[in-house]
């Protein structure tokens, strides 16, 4: 141990050390390694007990340790949430460089975690009896020197009443037969990151009755220097049996959910998928209720009703084509959405219906272009790959999901060009790689809808970059939202996209479609807009601009969803 190096730190630092440790606990600073021994007792039903320690200068090769004793005065269990906060970023890799491995030993329980990029490592240990805990930090290789500061929170489970909420399912990997991804939310990160599951029900029995158990990763949703309240827990169960019902509970010290179930996809059975989108709340002040006397809006009851109606169909999954919420950067909007929509996408017998989430412009942030980022959406859902554009394979069906946010509400054209171009290679490769009988594409903003083309509306960017690509790539149906109507086209082919001069603040060139109507889905692609999951509807004659076009086979301004039944010969 390099005592001399430690002493290079200011004497003020040493005084600080003594003050902190004295105030918080009985402490002794020992120069055998960098060791502070603290002792504290749990004496009252407090939620958080905080110990700070190990303020020192770490050098490569140093090992820092903080020890403390937990004296539990009663027999109720507690959990220790150890948050190690250091002034340097971790590299997230246990490669023996930097401060990247931290051990936390409580009794015979030993946890090791890598330091995250934000300089934080988390450990959770449950205990019942008086014990001594020891936290060790190892500094490797090229670690910079500085003052380390450990905060240890001891959270008593007896005061935690924080059962899982907003439980939802999806597929974070493209294997709907053998995997299922579960996400849930708790107020505190330590409240529970465990899922127990089995092929038979154990409702009413002990958690230990379930044969299988998995531990979820826990994360916060943060961007622009703020984080949503609470913590998301996410785990992908693998090695599941196809076409099988699994019963599960999620939770931990903060409480457990009731027993739910999910169903893996059976490769030999027809698949049933619901498509819907746009459940966001009105802009506010009733604005959207005034634009047309026939507009339908009874937010939020419409989206609650819709979710319940979808559940009665018993679908294998729901494709949600974006604009779940009005402001993607607003936790209140999200938490309400999970209450209204995902909490109701559950069948009467307790099966949670997986959601294939498609990002919309409203998920990016608030109008106009406030805190715009993909991170809000990515944080609350679990999708494959980059979570924004990806594909999933079902029996006889390939689902291609794309991102069309245009940056955010209020930005549009330039970001839309960027987004469209960025996905071109992915679309080509993805469509070339599938031999599924049916292909559907799902994204948020439509380019065949009630609005005329050639006006510089941002969806024309997609017309230029994607229309032929998707149609020639074999996409049978394109599902979108954004416009709060149902609209279905006849099968059609885009034969040309013509550049036309426009005078918009964001572009001087628009794109106009030239199409041919076809007689069958063999020859053409069917475009469906279904932005009807609860947002105030847009009458298709809205403003005189959004009208029924000649390529439309059907159009309604009603809250509704599309139910697809797919087998080897038909898609209904
Ligand atoms: Fe939208």
């Amino acid at each position: 141990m390099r005592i001399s190096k430690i002493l290079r730190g200011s004497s003020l630092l040493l005084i600080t050390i003594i003050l902190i440790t004295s105030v918080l606990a009985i402490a002794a600073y020992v120069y055998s390694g960098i060791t502070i021994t603290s002792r504290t007792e749990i004496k009252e039903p407090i939620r958080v007990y905080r110990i700070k320690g190990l303020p020192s200068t770490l050098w490569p090769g140093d090992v820092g340790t903080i020890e403390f004793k937990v004296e539990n005065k009663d027999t109720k269990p507690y959990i220790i949430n150890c948050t190690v906060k250091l002034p340097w970023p971790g590299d997230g890799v246990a490669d023996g460089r930097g401060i990247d491995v931290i051990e936390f030993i409580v009794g015979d329980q030993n946890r090791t975690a890598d330091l995250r990029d934000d300089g934080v490592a988390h450990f959770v240990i449950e205990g019942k009896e008086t014990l001594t805990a020891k936290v060790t930090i190892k500094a490797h290789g090229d670690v910079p020197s500085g003052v380390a500061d450990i905060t240890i929170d001891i959270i008593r489970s007896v005061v935690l009443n924080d059962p899982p909420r907003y439980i939802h399912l999806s597929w974070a990997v493209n294997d709907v037969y053998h995997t299922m991804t579960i996400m849930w939310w708790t107020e505190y990160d330590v409240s529970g990151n465990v899922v127990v599951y089995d092929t038979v029900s154990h409702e009413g029995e002990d958690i230990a009755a379930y044969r299988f158990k998995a531990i979820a990763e826990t994360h916060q949703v943060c961007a622009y220097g703020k984080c949503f309240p609470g913590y998301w827990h996410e785990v992908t169960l693998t090695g599941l049996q196809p076409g099988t019902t699994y019963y599960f509970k999620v939770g931990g010290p903060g409480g457990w959910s009731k027993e739910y179930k999910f169903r893996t996809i059976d490769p030999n059975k027809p698949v049933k998928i619901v498509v819907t989108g746009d459940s966001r709340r009105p802009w506010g002040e009733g604005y959207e209720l005034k634009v047309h006397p026939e507009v339908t809006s009874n937010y939020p009851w419409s989206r609650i009703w819709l979710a319940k109606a979808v559940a009665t169909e018993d679908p294998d999954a729901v494709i949600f084509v974006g604009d779940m919420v009005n402001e993607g950067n607003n936790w209140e909007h999200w938490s309400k959405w999970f209450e209204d929509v995902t909490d109701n996408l559950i069948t009467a017998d307790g099966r949670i219906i997986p959601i294939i989430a498609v990002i919309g412009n409203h998920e990016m942030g608030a109008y106009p272009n406030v805190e715009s980022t993909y991170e809000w959406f990515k944080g609350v859902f679990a999708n494959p790959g980059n979570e924004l554009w990806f594909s999933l394979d079902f029996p006889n069906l390939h689902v291609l999901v794309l991102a069309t946010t245009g940056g955010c509400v209020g930005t549009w054209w330039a970001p839309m060009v960027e987004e469209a171009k960025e996905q071109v290679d992915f679309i080509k490769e993805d469509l070339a790689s599938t031999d599924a009988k049916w292909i559907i594409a799902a994204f948020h903003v439509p380019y065949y809808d009630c609005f005329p083309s050639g006006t510089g509306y941002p969806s024309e960017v997609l017309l230029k970059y994607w229309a032929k690509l998707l149609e020639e790539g074999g996409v049978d149906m394109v599902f979108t939202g954004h416009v709060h109507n149902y609209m279905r086209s006849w099968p059609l082919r885009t034969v040309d996209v013509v550049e036309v001069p426009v005078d918009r603040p964001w572009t001087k060139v628009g794109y106009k479609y030239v199409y041919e109507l076809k007689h069958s889905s063999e020859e053409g692609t069917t475009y469906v807009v279904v932005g009807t999951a609860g947002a105030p509807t847009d009458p298709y004659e809205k403003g005189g601009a959004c009208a029924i076009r000649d390529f439309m086979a059907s159009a309604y301004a009603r809250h509704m969803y599309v139910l697809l039944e797919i087998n080897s010969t038909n898609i209904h």
Side-chain angles (χ1 to χ4, degrees), residues 186-203:
T186 55
E187 189 179 353
Y188 297 97
D189 58 341
V190 294
S191 294
N193 63 343
V194 179
V195 53
V196 290
Y197 59 107
D198 205 338
T199 50
V200 293
S201 170
H202 293 291
E203 185 65 300

Side-chain angles (χ1 to χ4, degrees), residues 40-281:
T40 188
E41 298 174 1
I42 297 177
K43 291 178 177 173
E44 51 189 328
I46 48 175
R47 174 174 283 161
V48 175
Y49 201 97
R50 184 155 290 177
I51 301 169
K52 285 195 172 186
L54 201 71
S56 184
T57 305
L58 280 179
W59 294 85
D62 285 356
V63 176
T65 302
I66 183 166
E67 292 187 7
F68 59 96
K69 191 173 184 182
V70 181
E71 292 186 358
N72 201 4
K73 294 285 185 185
D74 57 34
T75 56
K76 291 174 182 169
Y78 54 84
I79 51 177
I80 298 170
N81 173 29
C82 175
T83 303
V84 181
K85 181 85 178 96
L86 294 168
W88 319 289
D91 58 7
V93 183
D95 58 1
R97 291 161 56 83
I99 297 182
D100 55 11
V101 178
I102 295 168
E103 292 173 345
F104 185 44
I105 301 169
V106 177
D108 59 354
Q109 300 180 73
N110 189 341
R111 301 284 186 274
T112 301
D114 294 336
L115 195 63
R116 298 188 320 216
D117 288 346
D118 57 1
V120 170
H122 265 105
F123 309 87
V124 178
I125 289 189
E126 294 177 53
K128 283 184 181 171
E129 293 159 10
T130 297
L131 48 76
T132 301
K134 187 169 126 180
V135 181
T136 303
I137 296 175
K138 291 176 180 174
H140 302 282
D142 53 0
V143 58
S145 61
V147 176
D149 184 11
I150 297 181
T151 302
I152 299 169
D153 296 340
I154 302 170
I155 301 181
R156 292 190 60 172
S157 61
V158 287
V159 297
L160 278 179
N161 179 22
D162 186 18
R165 300 173 72 183
Y166 316 141
I167 303 164
H168 59 282
L169 304 177
S170 62
W171 289 282
V173 292
N174 183 8
D175 183 353
V176 299
Y177 308 109
H178 305 97
T179 75
M180 186 60 77
T181 301
I182 309 175
M183 285 186 78
W184 66 95
W185 181 92
T186 55
E187 189 179 353
Y188 297 97
D189 58 341
V190 294
S191 294
N193 63 343
V194 179
V195 53
V196 290
Y197 59 107
D198 205 338
T199 50
V200 293
S201 170
H202 293 291
E203 185 65 300
E205 298 176 44
D206 196 66
I207 293 298
Y210 292 82
R211 281 189 296 157
F212 309 110
K213 177 179 173 181
I215 306 296
E217 295 282 334
T218 299
H219 68 266
Q220 274 193 293
V221 180
C222 304
Y224 290 97
K226 75 174 190 186
C227 296
F228 285 163
Y231 294 81
W232 284 99
H233 310 276
E234 176 183 331
V235 61
T236 297
L237 307 182
T238 58
L240 304 174
Q241 295 300 312
T244 304
T245 296
Y246 285 84
Y247 300 81
F248 72 98
K249 283 187 178 206
V250 295
W256 289 85
S257 71
K258 65 178 188 179
E259 184 183 83
Y260 292 103
K261 56 185 179 178
F262 65 78
R263 190 170 68 202
T264 52
I265 302 296
D266 188 331
N268 302 311
K269 283 191 179 165
V271 68
K272 217 157 93 167
I273 290 181
V274 161
V275 191
T276 193
D278 293 79
S279 53
R280 66 171 178 80
R281 67 202 289 170

Side-chain angles (χ1 to χ4, degrees), residues 278 280 321-323 360-362 404 409 412 444-445 481-484:
D278 293 79
R280 66 171 178 80
V321 290
D323 282 5
N361 54 310
H362 281 264
T404 58
V409 188
W412 284 127
H444 181 62
V445 180
H482 190 56
V483 182
H484 302 168

